[in-house]
Amino acid sequence: MMKPEGEKERPPLISIKGVPMIQYFAEVMDQVDLFEAHPDDLLISTYPKSGTTWISEVIDMLYKGGDEKKCNVAPIYMRVPFLEFAVPGIPTGIELLQKSPRPCLIKTHLPIQLLPKTFWGKNCKMIYVARNAKDVAVSYYYFYQMAKVHPEPGTWNEFLEKFMAGDVSFGSWYDHVKGWWDKKKEQRILYLFYEDLKENSPREIRKVMEFLEMPPDERLVEKIAHHTSFKEMRQNEMANYRSIPKEIMDHTVSPFMRKGITGDWKNLFTVAQNERFDAHYKRQMEGSTLHFRTEL
């Protein structure tokens, strides 16, 4: 396929200890490894397209007492620096963190084996959000199309095969969700599910507050639940990533915040793909106590 005039080639994924990474991210992993966490830093971890921006906005609002003005001072990726982020011409996550007052909120998509050891050593609190694999695969396919730091996704069928094989940025979804799930036995990790947040966000916000040892506050819960609803966040210029340059994220191809629903996979999966996926899923998740809902 010929590139349109003036459009750059998309960079290939680079393997870091067996995990495929966006090339620019792979190039800063040495600096990421050396990062020093503050014991009171809060790490927000997810596999891509699992509600990262949503939970980040929830927690930033909690930290700021529900004050929207304080949250609206900067885009979410400035308020919650993305640890391994690197794209030419934009400050890296590490550079942002070097300037951030500590302790702070930090976002990552790294699987547990690539997370800097300092987070375990300092016993940081962590919040992980997991989303069912079928919806992640669909959302990631659209994201790959608009976020040009990824290789070309190919057809939906080709992308689905890559996703199942773990041949996508940040590697296998299965390894990621299981790795973090098993780690919570020994680490201060609150493990949440995207589907639970969709079903009843006030209940999940209360869980976050309890985990962060904040006093109960129903008015604050209601306010944050409203402010961080998909409808509100999609319109919120400080949360919807529209301020990222078009050559990196092209919202005309697909918006960063596309649908935010559970069960959208049914619109893309064929019957044959679904059967093949289910059989593969069963093998991959065998023996795990982790269970997901694919519809509400």
Side-chain angles (χ1 to χ4, degrees):
M1 216 169 89
M2 291 294 290
K3 285 264 162 233
E5 196 58 43
E7 191 163 313
K8 292 211 304 262
E9 277 298 319
R10 289 172 171 234
L13 297 178
I14 305 279
S15 174
I16 300 285
K17 297 180 186 165
V19 178
M21 298 278 287
I22 290 167
Q23 182 187 313
Y24 306 122
F25 292 20
E27 287 164 359
V28 297
M29 281 304 289
D30 288 349
Q31 295 167 327
V32 170
D33 273 342
L34 297 172
F35 177 73
E36 275 298 318
H38 185 285
D40 293 328
D41 285 338
L42 178 69
L43 186 72
I44 298 168
S45 175
T46 61
Y47 189 81
K49 310 318 292 173
S50 302
T52 329
T53 307
W54 188 8
I55 196 70
S56 298
E57 189 75 14
V58 165
I59 297 167
D60 189 46
M61 277 202 89
L62 281 171
Y63 270 45
K64 289 170 179 162
D67 189 331
E68 288 168 55
K69 281 198 189 76
K70 285 185 185 164
C71 294
N72 283 340
V73 293
I76 188 73
Y77 50 84
M78 303 291 283
R79 289 177 279 136
V80 184
F82 180 5
L83 179 65
E84 62 274 17
F85 177 82
V87 165
I90 296 178
T92 65
I94 291 291
E95 285 167 350
L96 280 180
L97 284 163
Q98 282 163 350
K99 294 191 203 119
S100 295
R102 308 292 288 281
C104 63
L105 300 175
I106 302 170
K107 157 189 162 174
T108 189
H109 288 317
L110 293 173
I112 54 162
Q113 70 272 28
L114 293 186
L115 191 74
K117 302 286 176 278
T118 176
F119 285 101
W120 313 124
K122 299 278 173 68
N123 194 27
C124 295
K125 281 188 174 182
M126 305 177 182
I127 294 181
Y128 187 86
V129 183
R131 186 183 192 185
N132 81 79
K134 290 180 183 177
D135 280 330
V136 169
V138 169
S139 184
Y140 214 1
Y141 173 60
Y142 285 108
F143 186 56
Y144 248 69
Q145 291 177 36
M146 70 86 77
K148 297 174 180 179
V149 291
H150 299 96
E152 291 286 351
T155 64
W156 160 239
N157 197 57
E158 287 165 346
F159 184 80
L160 187 59
E161 290 296 323
K162 283 183 201 144
F163 180 83
M164 286 159 69
D167 189 16
V168 290
S169 178
F170 294 103
S172 161
W173 174 91
Y174 304 97
D175 293 350
H176 207 287
V177 296
K178 289 189 294 188
W180 282 91
W181 178 252
D182 294 341
K183 196 75 182 172
K184 71 183 180 55
K185 296 186 190 86
E186 59 193 62
Q187 194 75 27
R188 297 193 296 170
I189 297 173
L190 175 65
Y191 201 103
L192 300 173
F193 293 92
Y194 183 95
E195 293 73 26
D196 295 347
L197 269 159
K198 256 338 284 172
E199 182 179 66
N200 186 338
S201 67
R203 175 190 65 206
E204 301 306 300
I205 292 167
R206 283 183 215 109
K207 280 186 198 169
V208 171
M209 289 174 77
E210 196 175 324
F211 179 70
L212 298 175
E213 297 164 60
M214 293 177 168
D217 182 340
E218 267 319 295
R219 275 190 34 214
L220 184 60
V221 169
E222 289 305 325
K223 183 174 186 180
I224 293 176
H226 169 75
H227 177 79
T228 60
S229 69
F230 186 78
K231 183 169 157 275
E232 291 291 320
M233 279 188 63
R234 194 175 188 180
Q235 295 162 356
N236 179 356
E237 294 288 329
M238 292 300 148
N240 64 16
Y241 278 77
R242 286 201 175 273
S243 50
I244 293 262
K246 188 176 172 181
E247 55 273 19
I248 296 167
M249 281 189 182
D250 189 347
H251 289 260
T252 62
V253 174
S254 175
F256 176 80
M257 298 211 165
R258 204 176 57 86
K259 285 189 179 175
I261 59 173
T262 293
D264 188 41
W265 62 270
K266 293 177 193 169
N267 296 314
L268 217 52
F269 275 75
T270 63
V271 172
Q273 284 170 343
N274 195 41
E275 284 172 2
R276 185 167 151 62
F277 193 92
D278 284 348
H280 178 260
Y281 185 93
K282 203 172 160 187
R283 289 195 299 275
Q284 293 285 329
M285 298 298 277
E286 203 171 0
S288 177
T289 51
L290 192 48
H291 296 292
F292 286 86
R293 296 186 285 167
T294 53
E295 51 195 306
L296 292 178

